[in-house]
Amino acid sequence: GAGVSQTPSNKVTEKGKYVELRCDPISGHTALYWYRQSLGQGPEFLIYFQGTGAADDSGLPNDRFFAVRPEGSVSTLKIQRTERGDSAVYLCASSSARDSYNEQFFGPGTRLTVL
Amino acid sequence: GQQLNQSPQSMFIQEGEDVSMNCTSSSIFNTWLWYKQEPGEGPVLLIALYKAGELTSNGRLTAQFGITRKDSFLNISASIPSDVGIYFCAGQGNNDMRFGAGTRLTVKP
């Protein structure tokens, strides 16, 4: 079956622009996560959705970052007024439950480059 | 930022050798996980550990959840060229999951 997909795979933008990154989770997975991975580092948690609601957004670095999941499936990570430091790979993962550990399946990521 | 200390940062080994890497944390975790990531892809789960002291194997991979719940190790036996990649430990508490900085493994045939 289809895994987690993310679009675009690469995004190059200029400093100050707005970008949207999309994640299509595995069908039926209620939990969805966004991570940011900088070069040479492990993924850093940004936000977690259970259904349509953001259950934990403690990892969002500042108010330029926002994510939505209006129908409980596809999610969009939105970054306003991008900065060069936002350049990273943005990973999305989904899992079937949250209360007990269920494996998070990761997408291939979107590589964001801010010039 | 990262709360997990993962070592070594990189390893260059000969095919057939055994590999060991570990993670320590200042925080207690309920679950320890080990992932492998290859270029252009997201991390893939290798082993999940749920109880302190647990020792789990998955083929040539063996991992242990430390008794203090603040550390874990991963061993790979008889390495093969396709073991090349970056290995991440991850600790999960009540909410988010924290990753180590990764161990980059190179296997020379």
Side-chain angles (χ1 to χ4, degrees):
Chain A
V4 177
S5 63
Q6 292 186 246
T7 54
S9 55
N10 280 284
K11 175 71 177 179
V12 180
T13 191
E14 293 180 342
K15 180 174 177 295
K17 300 288 189 183
Y18 167 82
V19 296
E20 289 189 352
L21 312 179
R22 177 187 167 110
C23 172
D24 282 82
I26 292 172
S27 177
H29 278 190
T30 56
L32 185 146
Y33 310 79
W34 283 99
Y35 294 85
R36 178 169 69 175
Q37 187 173 24
S38 300
L39 193 63
Q41 298 295 316
E44 263 188 287
F45 169 79
L46 295 177
I47 186 170
Y48 150 62
F49 287 90
Q50 183 61 257
T52 60
D56 184 350
D57 64 357
S58 61
L60 294 177
N62 52 60
D63 61 6
R64 295 186 299 105
F65 289 74
F66 189 71
V68 296
R69 196 185 184 201
E71 297 178 1
S73 57
V74 170
S75 176
T76 304
L77 178 66
K78 309 180 181 194
I79 310 174
Q80 298 177 320
R81 305 183 304 279
T82 51
E83 299 177 357
R84 292 196 179 89
D86 298 336
S87 296
V89 174
Y90 289 82
L91 294 164
C92 175
S94 70
S95 71
S96 59
R98 175 72 186 219
D99 292 335
S100 59
Y101 180 75
N102 276 274
E103 179 178 353
Q104 293 185 26
F105 294 85
F106 283 83
T110 293
R111 180 175 297 278
L112 175 67
T113 303
V114 182
L115 300 177
Chain B
Q2 306 285 358
Q3 290 183 354
L4 303 189
N5 297 308
Q6 185 172 349
S7 63
Q9 203 169 30
S10 61
M11 301 185 75
F12 296 83
I13 62 168
Q14 205 72 37
E15 182 178 0
E17 290 182 356
D18 297 343
V19 171
S20 184
M21 58 192 80
N22 69 83
C23 252
T24 60
S25 169
S26 56
S27 305
I28 289 174
F29 290 109
N30 297 329
T31 305
W32 277 94
L33 308 119
W34 285 91
Y35 287 85
K36 180 185 178 187
Q37 187 174 28
E38 298 188 24
E41 298 180 9
V44 174
L45 182 66
L46 299 173
I47 290 183
L49 302 153
Y50 303 106
K51 293 191 302 188
E54 179 181 353
L55 183 71
T56 296
S57 292
N58 178 8
R60 294 179 295 105
L61 276 59
T62 302
Q64 183 156 34
F65 190 149
I67 290 289
T68 64
R69 295 168 63 194
K70 293 183 177 181
D71 63 295
S72 177
F73 71 75
L74 174 71
N75 289 340
I76 305 173
S77 63
S79 58
I80 59 178
S82 62
D83 289 336
V84 165
I86 304 177
Y87 291 79
F88 292 99
C89 62
Q92 183 152 15
N94 293 325
N95 293 310
D96 61 339
M97 185 159 65
R98 303 260 178 191
F99 284 80
T103 295
R104 182 180 294 274
L105 179 64
T106 302
V107 180
K108 293 177 284 188

